[in-house]
Structure formats: structure tokens, C-alpha cells
Amino acid sequence: MQDWQRSVIYQIYPKSFHSHAGNPTGDLLGVVAKLDYLHWLGVDCLWITPFLRSPQRDNGYDISDYYAIDPSYGTMADCELLIAEAGKRGIKLMLDIVVNHTSIEHEWFQQARSSLDNPYRDFYIWRDQPNNWESKFGGSAWEYEAQTGQYFLHLFDHTQADLNWDNPNVRAEVFKMMRFWRDKGVGGFRLDVINLISKPADFPEDNSDGRRFYTDGPNVHDYLQQMHREVFEGHDLINVGEMSSTSLEHCIRYSRPQSKELSMTFNFHHLKVDYPNLQKWIRADFDFLQLKRILSDWQTGMQAGGGWNALFWCNHDQPRVVSRFGHDGEHRVVSAKMLGTALHFLQGTPFVYQGEELGMTNPSFDHIDQYRDVETLNIHRLQRNAGVSDADNMAAIMQKSRDNGRTPMHWNAEPNAGFSVAEPWISVPANAAQINVASQLDDPDSVLHHYRQLIALRRSEALMSDGVYRQLLPEHLQIWAYVREGNGERLLVLNNFYGTACEVELPEQVISPAMTQRLLISNYPDNPPRTRQVFLRPFESLVLHLTDH
Ligand code: TEU
């Protein structure tokens, strides 16, 4: 087992974490100011989303200089201080590297666009005619450049031009830049949409949006092995790849140690269970059986292939999980705890996204003026132009917008939730006065204390890292039950995903009176010993450690 296989990683979206300077957006010194909180929570590593120089059209995922801190976040000295102060508390910092594309304001693109024979022209992907691939943010994936009369590829916004990884000079520049950050002392990298970097040479037309041609593309494993040799080899780094629309087979290859590529992978299949027919922009309930099936398939599949999962419910691109798969009304506290437990006992490395540990909810912004995200604004326009009614358009956005997860962190009940003395760049949800760090620190029954307990358990319970996953009752319509087992010991993890009580019967081999049972964690105050016949209250979840005799 590697250290990072026993770690918990906390994700910070610095724009919305804390403003030390008292600005509308957060900054790096704001993260420094909260390190004691993160240390108390017990996390081992911080993934901070991009804070490098950027026009901020996609909140930093459009980088214009890989060697400079964006002035809104502070200075290089602030970054060095953050790395050093985190290090003193035993916390590593993971840098978010965006190298599928750069901002069109990057010097390389400015050079490339200037003439057909510029040495940087081949840093990007140009064609005389576009094919029919679509941008992930809606519309064509190609943008016309009048000066040179060609189109360039952008899988995301038209200001995010895709780099040409087949050009060895691009790879050399990327690896050099990563070594610069490695030598500054970062503890690892989170690699943005890294499975999209290799495109097929012929850019075929598609009967869909084109993703099947560039997802896990032809040379991606070679390029990652090269990155491993040139940047990671001989260094103690945690490297996480964000894999868009990927497959289990590829994720095993990306993350098994013998491939010498990455430490672990994120995938999003379990977060499409509320996309009917893979359509994101329709308001829909989630499919619970599908959620269990997908997560279970990835658990057993990655385990069998020797790969390693990055586990997560939330990030800066996703709605809040308590609003999504839990209950953000009367059952908010109990359901947020249940969701935390269900995730943290899986095999893999769990990620906690800022505010998830408080049970923060979607903000219920019901007017498009309250949204800031480039994807949301693009989609709103495209749907309206396609004739979708305002009511349906807004209903989908309220449920699915990335801004659901991007509102300011709730620190306390002061103005702006203690995020900043200035009016924040995006509104603070109305429930910040009830749901915040200060009030939960004082409350041992809070979601926050439950997360702290989950994080601490990972250190004492080896089975959380290395136990074999097995699902129980796969067809049950409201309970997700599984075990993690090894050496005659077992963790039994029971989660009721709904607001009604129910009783289930478990197999005798899993729990019997002959076994010693110890309760590890639960979300209800009273916990009698359990038998095979288990009664679970609304959103109840509990974990028993069982030893055979
Ligand atoms: O996201 C990649 C990605 O494909 C998504 O999660 C995306 O937000 C979703 O498909 C839209 O429906 C990464 C970053 O996490 C995201 O914030 C960036 O916007 C994107 O890459 C481009 O760099």
C-alpha cells in the first residue's frame, strides 16, 4: 500500500474558499488562514483548482501563463508560503494542471495565430475545414481564425484552444513546466481532462459529438508514460487523472502501478445517473439502482485489474450531493452523513469538496442573472434558441449547473458567511447562517464532526483501504449494502438512501450471533447490537466491524 492509498484529499476552489484581502474572490492567503481548520479536519492533501494566470473565462481552466500566479489569487511568494505552511502541518498540495488546452491569451497561441509558418503554429490543432465535433460546452468544437484562414480545435470554450500533443515540443514544454512545480515542492498533480490529449490524425466525422474518437485516444498511454519518466519517476507524488467519458479498461491501465502512468483516476459515470439518455440539461430524478451498479462495477473491476479509484461525490463541476442523492430539507444532516459514510468506506482515495463536510446544499438560484459559469450561460442561450421554455431551461439549470458547487464557503453566520468583507463574486446561499463551520465545530452531532470521524477512521481501520469490496442485496430499491473484507474480518456498511424506514435480511455468512461486532460509525444516536434482520431508519447508515470466530 502506498501512503496515498490511505489518504483523504480535500478539494479547494480558491475563488470561493476565503478572501484574506477582502475582495469579491478568494485568494491563496485565504487558504493559508484556514490551514489549521483543514489540519483539525485531518486531511492529508489539498487539491487546489487552478490559480495560475488566466483571463478567468472558465475560472482558471483557461491558463495564459503556467509560471505565474493569477494576481487575483496573490503572488508566487504567497504560493510558496502556502506550500511551506501546509507542509508544517503534514499536508501536501496538489496542483491542478490544465494541459489539454491553454487560453487563447497564452503566448504560444498568440504566436501560433499570427502566421501559418510561426514555430508555435503546430502547438495547436488547425484545419482548413471543421468536422462536426461538438464542444463540451455546446456548439461546434472549431473556431475560425480570420488572420490565417483556418479553424482551431477547442473541446471546451472557444477561448480554450486544444494543444497538439503529437508535437514533441508541446510535450517537452509541458513536462518542463511540471518539473518547475514539482521542484517548488508540490506533492502531486491533478491532471485536467488528461484522457482527451491524444486526437486521431484524421479527425473523422461522427454521428454523435465526436468524443469516441478523442476519448482515451490513440497515444494517450504513451504520453502519460513519458510524463511519468520525465516528471514523476523517483519522486513521491500523488497524481490524479481526471478522465472524461472513459472506460474501466483504460482506467485500470492509467492507474495500475506496473503501467507507470498515474496514481488514480476520477471518472464520472456514477454522476450521470440523473442524465436521462445521457442528456444533462433535463431536470430528472436519479436512478438509484444504476448508481449502485456503476459504483459496484468500478469497485470490483478496478480491484480485479489492480487499478485505484479516486472517490468523490462533489467537485466544482457538480451539484451538491446532499441536494442530489440525499435530502436537503428535514433530513439534511442525517442524509449528508449517510452519503459521506457510503463513499468513504469504498476502496480508493476519498476526496472531500469544500463545504461537503458541512452538508452544504445547492443554492436554489432561480434567475439566470445569479449564474456565472460559462457552461451554464452557453447552455441557457442554446436551449432558449432551441425553443426550450424558460421554466424547463431554469429547472434544469437549478438542478445541474456547475455554480451549485461554486458558491462561497460558509465559515460563520457573519455577513457573506465569513468568506470576505466584500460582496462575493457569486451570491451566498440563504442558508449560510444555519449551515456553517463555526456552528458545526461546536456541535458534536454535526455533519462536520461526522466527516472528521470518517477521515480519522481511515487511519485506524486498515480494511477501509485494503478490504475486498462485495456488494450485498444488489437489487434492493432503497438500501446500498456492502462489505469490505479480509483475514476473517469484515466491515459491514449499510446505507438507507431514502426517507422511509425499512427492514432487510442479510446473509448469515455476513453477520451472525457467533461474530464479535463493534460499531464504527453511525448517523443515529442510539445503536443496539444488530442481527441479520436489520431495521434501518430514514437515511440511516452504519458500519459494523465483524470478526469471525
Ligand atoms: O472538467 C472536465 C469536464 O468535462 C467536466 O466535468 C465538465 O465540466 C462537464 O462535462 C460539463 O458538462 C474539467 C474541469 O474540472 C472544468 O472545471 C473545466 O471547465 C474543464 O475541465 C475544462 O478545462
Side-chain angles (χ1 to χ4, degrees):
M1 275 273 136
Q2 306 277 341
D3 272 359
W4 46 260
Q5 292 177 303
R6 299 191 183 281
S7 294
V8 178
I9 302 179
Y10 187 90
Q11 185 195 345
I12 292 181
Y13 196 65
K15 191 165 186 154
S16 294
F17 193 61
H18 181 54
S19 172
H20 180 261
N23 288 331
T25 57
D27 48 33
L28 294 181
L29 291 181
V31 180
V32 174
K34 299 299 181 183
L35 284 173
D36 285 336
Y37 165 72
L38 298 166
H39 182 56
W40 172 86
L41 187 58
V43 297
D44 305 278
C45 177
L46 307 177
W47 154 28
I48 308 192
T49 62
F51 49 81
L52 304 182
R53 190 183 290 273
S54 156
Q56 302 291 328
R57 171 121 179 140
D58 188 20
N59 290 357
Y61 283 94
D62 45 337
I63 293 176
S64 55
D65 185 346
Y66 291 106
Y67 294 93
I69 308 296
D70 192 80
S72 68
Y73 289 117
T75 63
M76 190 58 90
D78 297 344
C79 179
E80 287 161 359
L81 181 74
L82 174 57
I83 294 172
E85 287 296 319
K88 283 184 197 162
R89 292 161 178 84
I91 299 175
K92 294 182 180 189
L93 194 143
M94 186 186 276
L95 193 77
D96 201 329
I97 292 285
V98 189
V99 285
N100 175 67
H101 45 265
T102 71
S103 163
I104 57 170
E105 292 186 18
H106 194 286
E107 176 64 19
W108 299 337
F109 191 83
Q110 292 299 317
Q111 293 280 341
R113 77 173 0 161
S114 66
S115 71
L116 290 172
D117 56 4
N118 186 283
Y120 286 94
R121 185 75 178 176
D122 284 344
F123 267 48
Y124 296 90
I125 298 167
W126 301 93
R127 303 251 304 172
D128 289 332
Q129 289 301 321
N131 67 8
N132 65 353
W133 294 4
E134 285 167 28
S135 153
K136 303 251 181 204
F137 291 165
S140 169
W142 298 89
E143 182 81 358
Y144 186 63
E145 265 285 314
Q147 186 165 342
T148 49
Q150 284 191 315
Y151 293 80
F152 69 85
L153 180 72
H154 62 88
L155 294 182
F156 292 89
D157 188 57
H158 65 95
T159 64
Q160 292 166 302
D162 280 53
L163 283 165
N164 175 17
W165 273 70
D166 293 335
N167 179 346
N169 296 330
V170 166
R171 302 200 297 276
E173 283 289 348
V174 167
F175 301 152
K176 183 175 108 188
M177 176 272 289
M178 292 177 76
R179 286 192 295 267
F180 168 87
W181 285 104
R182 180 196 71 194
D183 297 344
K184 274 230 175 277
V186 304
F189 300 99
R190 178 268 188 189
L191 295 148
D192 190 57
V193 290
I194 200 66
N195 66 326
L196 307 186
I197 57 176
S198 174
K199 281 84 177 175
D202 55 345
F203 291 90
E205 290 285 307
D206 197 8
N207 51 15
S208 179
D209 63 4
R211 72 180 66 195
R212 67 195 168 108
F213 293 115
Y214 60 73
T215 301
D216 305 311
N219 302 316
V220 64
H221 293 283
D222 284 352
Y223 295 160
L224 287 176
Q225 285 161 17
Q226 203 176 329
M227 182 186 286
H228 190 283
R229 287 194 300 275
E230 301 231 4
V231 186
F232 308 153
E233 195 103 79
H235 296 267
D236 179 23
L237 297 166
I238 315 179
N239 302 308
V240 187
E242 187 206 26
M243 304 303 178
S244 173
S245 303
T246 188
S247 69
L248 177 58
E249 291 66 31
H250 278 287
C251 284
I252 290 170
R253 288 178 64 191
Y254 293 126
S255 65
R256 62 180 179 189
Q258 62 270 37
S259 296
K260 292 188 183 275
E261 296 183 24
L262 301 172
S263 320
M264 60 184 110
T265 53
F266 286 116
N267 78 81
F268 297 89
H269 296 288
H270 66 297
L271 297 180
K272 295 185 178 167
V273 297
D274 49 10
Y275 293 7
N277 300 317
L278 293 177
Q279 296 292 303
K280 175 172 174 177
W281 297 104
I282 295 176
R283 188 180 183 92
D285 290 337
F286 77 104
D287 181 336
F288 174 63
L289 282 185
Q290 209 192 351
L291 181 71
K292 290 202 291 185
R293 185 176 48 70
I294 293 171
L295 286 168
S296 293
D297 286 352
W298 278 80
Q299 285 286 297
T300 47
M302 287 290 259
Q303 203 162 261
W308 195 256
N309 285 300
L311 306 168
F312 71 109
W313 287 133
C314 298
N315 68 25
H316 63 291
D317 295 332
Q318 299 292 331
R320 292 286 177 180
V321 70
V322 71
S323 301
R324 189 176 196 178
F325 302 146
H327 189 283
D328 61 12
E330 59 176 312
H331 299 299
R332 186 186 64 84
V333 171
V334 76
S335 67
K337 291 179 183 177
M338 180 277 290
L339 289 162
T341 300
L343 190 84
H344 279 243
F345 279 87
L346 295 176
Q347 188 180 46
T349 298
F351 284 66
V352 178
Y353 177 62
Q354 64 183 50
E356 177 186 342
E357 78 276 26
L358 307 175
M360 274 178 66
T361 66
N362 286 349
S364 303
F365 293 157
D366 56 8
H367 199 279
I368 192 65
D369 290 349
Q370 293 170 287
Y371 291 85
R372 303 284 175 267
D373 170 33
V374 59
E375 180 195 41
T376 305
L377 301 178
N378 281 348
I379 291 295
H380 181 259
R381 193 186 60 247
L382 292 169
Q383 297 282 77
R384 201 180 39 199
N385 295 346
V388 174
S389 74
D390 273 353
D392 288 350
N393 205 354
M394 282 314 297
I397 285 173
M398 284 178 72
Q399 185 190 29
K400 304 281 176 60
S401 171
R402 305 196 298 181
D403 281 336
N404 282 312
R406 296 179 176 185
T407 59
M409 176 75 175
H410 299 178
W411 294 105
N412 52 47
E414 287 164 27
N416 308 324
F419 161 72
S420 176
V421 293
E423 179 79 21
W425 66 283
I426 187 169
S427 301
V428 173
N431 58 17
Q434 291 79 51
I435 304 170
N436 59 64
V437 172
S439 63
Q440 296 197 21
L441 278 173
D442 292 339
D443 174 7
D445 294 328
S446 60
V447 181
L448 178 58
H449 279 264
H450 188 86
Y451 266 78
R452 184 168 185 248
Q453 201 184 340
L454 287 171
I455 294 166
L457 279 169
R458 186 158 286 265
R459 287 191 221 294
S460 57
E461 301 298 324
L463 284 175
M464 280 177 87
S465 308
D466 53 29
V468 174
Y469 173 91
R470 185 159 57 91
Q471 191 183 191
L472 308 171
L473 315 170
E475 299 307 320
H476 200 283
L477 294 172
Q478 95 177 70
I479 307 293
W480 186 17
Y482 62 85
V483 293
R484 300 286 307 283
E485 51 199 357
N487 297 329
E489 291 186 333
R490 169 176 314 114
L491 303 178
L492 171 62
V493 185
L494 300 170
N495 305 291
N496 180 359
F497 268 68
Y498 291 88
T500 49
C502 94
E503 190 164 281
V504 287
E505 189 180 88
L506 298 168
E508 198 169 0
Q509 313 88 286
V510 168
I511 178 167
S512 77
M515 299 173 189
T516 310
Q517 74 171 252
R518 176 166 59 92
L519 179 77
L520 290 191
I521 193 162
S522 88
N523 59 353
Y524 273 79
D526 48 322
N527 285 285
R530 305 295 172 134
T531 61
R532 287 180 64 187
Q533 209 66 35
V534 194
F535 178 75
L536 291 171
R537 291 162 279 189
F539 293 104
E540 181 161 12
S541 106
L542 65 132
V543 182
L544 296 174
H545 181 282
L546 299 159
T547 318
D548 295 335
H549 285 292

